[in-house]
Amino acid sequence: MKLAVAGVGRIGAFHARTLKDVAGVDTIVVADLNHEAASSVAAEIGAEVVADPLDLVHQGIDGLVIATATDGHAPLLRAALTAGIPVFCEKPVAGTLGETIELAELEAKTGTLAHIGFQRRFDAAYRRARAAVTSGEIGTIHAIRATTHDQAPPPRAYVKVSGGIFHDCNIHDFDIIRFVSGAEPTTVYATGANKGDPMFTEEGDVDTAAAIITLDDGTLVTVTATRYNGAGHDVRMEVTGSGGAVAVGLDDSLALRSLEDGVQFPAGPQCWSFFERFHDAYLAELSAFAGLVATTSPSPCTVRDALEASRIAHACDLSRAQARLVHMSEIPGLDAPIADGT
């Protein structure tokens, strides 16, 4: 197989190195608007170099990995879908809900394999949580709690283009809630606050957020996010059912300290970034993509799935702005949302 990587920043370079060691991948082509960076990665892994990422679709490739800056995602994804080239794309697929809907429609029209980079779907513990729910192991699900707490805030330049905390941070929670529960949200109530750097207020964002989501099977979900978790990077999920309860992220790296007498857990060390927390999941998702290209198997996380996560983020934005309960029927999308993702 001949695979291409568009964008060789931190995650793109990691993806390129991952593909180098995947069985069946014979040739890798890389491209980045920073030609020096592309040449450096290419020299390291023995890859070919193309100057313009958009030219990658004309290189006779079998699959494309998109890891450029956010504004490069939609043009490259559109080009790959139109050309019938299997494509892996980091989130978000586009900067607006309307463009995301358009790309989901194009995915359906072309039938081209598109795999969106929600790496939590490839984390072993999240997959076990899904199995515990779908198998009935923990009975009827009553509540889910999802947490994404960053250790330190991103720079202003990132905040300006991120779309806000619900879109760049909680979007992963929204996707994994759908994946684990197999259910769709019906209503959302969200709020947020700023007690840190004034840039968040100045950019129309918040540094801490919370949402209550009701799923179509009656499950209640709470979601929280903050840019200021000084203890470390904390990503968790708890699923409570009539027959038991399970947790993801409850290990010795937990960025939380117990004040109970005699409790030594967690032993540490903590994770300080998403990359540490999900290193193995990132490896797994790219290896899986290469396997999908080789076998022409269905995508485990489609543009349609990305659209549904984005719709939840937009519902949270609307709820926070208007201080009211938002029904998901108010948010534009495609008919008959899909939550399977298997």
Side-chain angles (χ1 to χ4, degrees):
M1 283 187 294
K2 182 178 184 179
L3 301 182
V5 179
V8 291
R10 184 184 187 189
I11 193 65
F14 178 81
H15 289 335
R17 296 182 188 107
T18 298
L19 292 174
K20 174 182 177 293
D21 296 323
V22 172
V25 178
D26 305 305
T27 306
I28 299 173
V29 189
V30 299
D32 195 292
L33 295 180
N34 182 338
H35 189 68
E36 183 178 343
S39 297
S40 176
V41 171
E44 176 189 344
I45 66 173
E48 300 174 5
V49 183
V50 173
D52 188 340
L54 280 170
D55 286 339
L56 288 171
V57 297
H58 306 300
Q59 303 302 310
I61 59 175
D62 297 300
L64 171 65
V65 174
I66 302 172
T68 63
T70 296
D71 58 1
H73 291 186
L76 284 160
L77 180 56
R78 186 179 295 107
L81 291 173
T82 302
I85 297 171
V87 56
F88 174 95
C89 184
E90 290 292 350
K91 65 85 186 170
V93 300
T96 67
L97 185 61
E99 193 170 27
T100 304
I101 292 171
E102 179 247 312
L103 288 166
E105 291 173 339
L106 182 61
E107 174 189 49
K109 179 181 177 181
T110 63
T112 303
L113 168 71
H115 178 182
I116 308 305
F118 285 110
Q119 83 283 351
R120 294 186 195 182
R121 292 186 178 220
F122 290 86
D123 177 82
Y126 278 111
R127 296 180 76 86
R128 292 186 193 111
R130 174 184 169 89
V133 172
T134 58
S135 69
E137 173 190 336
I138 56 175
T140 301
I141 306 306
H142 289 269
I144 297 175
R145 181 186 302 174
T147 298
T148 297
H149 295 170
D150 290 335
Q151 185 269 332
R156 183 187 286 265
Y158 178 84
V159 175
K160 279 181 175 292
V161 299
S162 73
I165 198 167
F166 292 118
H167 292 269
D168 80 79
C169 187
N170 285 133
I171 195 79
H172 287 283
D173 296 295
F174 300 148
D175 177 71
I176 205 64
I177 287 163
R178 296 180 65 244
F179 178 72
V180 169
S181 70
E184 296 290 345
T186 56
T187 62
V188 169
Y189 184 83
T191 188
N194 281 319
K195 297 175 71 176
D197 194 317
M199 74 169 173
F200 291 104
T201 301
E202 293 163 4
E203 298 297 340
D205 198 6
V206 293
D207 64 46
T208 301
I212 299 174
I213 302 171
T214 302
L215 302 183
D216 56 13
D217 63 356
T219 301
L220 294 181
V221 181
T222 57
V223 181
T224 59
T226 185
R227 308 292 195 182
Y228 288 98
N229 190 51
H233 188 70
D234 184 11
V235 176
R236 283 177 286 133
M237 173 180 275
E238 299 167 17
V239 185
T240 302
S242 60
V246 296
V248 176
L250 197 64
D251 61 15
D252 280 330
S253 70
L254 180 65
L256 190 66
R257 181 167 57 93
S258 174
L259 299 180
E260 298 295 333
D261 289 339
V263 176
Q264 301 301 315
F265 174 83
Q270 307 99 310
C271 292
W272 295 101
S273 71
F274 66 90
F275 200 70
E276 291 175 74
R277 172 68 175 82
F278 291 108
H279 177 271
D280 291 348
Y282 282 120
L283 287 173
E285 70 172 355
L286 254 291
S287 297
F289 172 66
L292 295 175
V293 174
T295 61
T296 64
S297 300
S299 170
C301 189
T302 65
V303 179
R304 182 74 172 267
D305 288 310
L307 170 60
E308 294 309 318
S310 182
R311 290 180 66 236
I312 302 170
H314 276 83
C316 287
D317 281 342
L318 181 60
S319 177
R320 182 176 75 84
Q322 299 184 0
R324 68 175 178 89
L325 186 75
V326 171
H327 292 263
M328 287 303 300
S329 58
E330 300 177 55
I331 310 301
L334 302 178
D335 294 332
I338 299 171
D340 184 39
T342 53

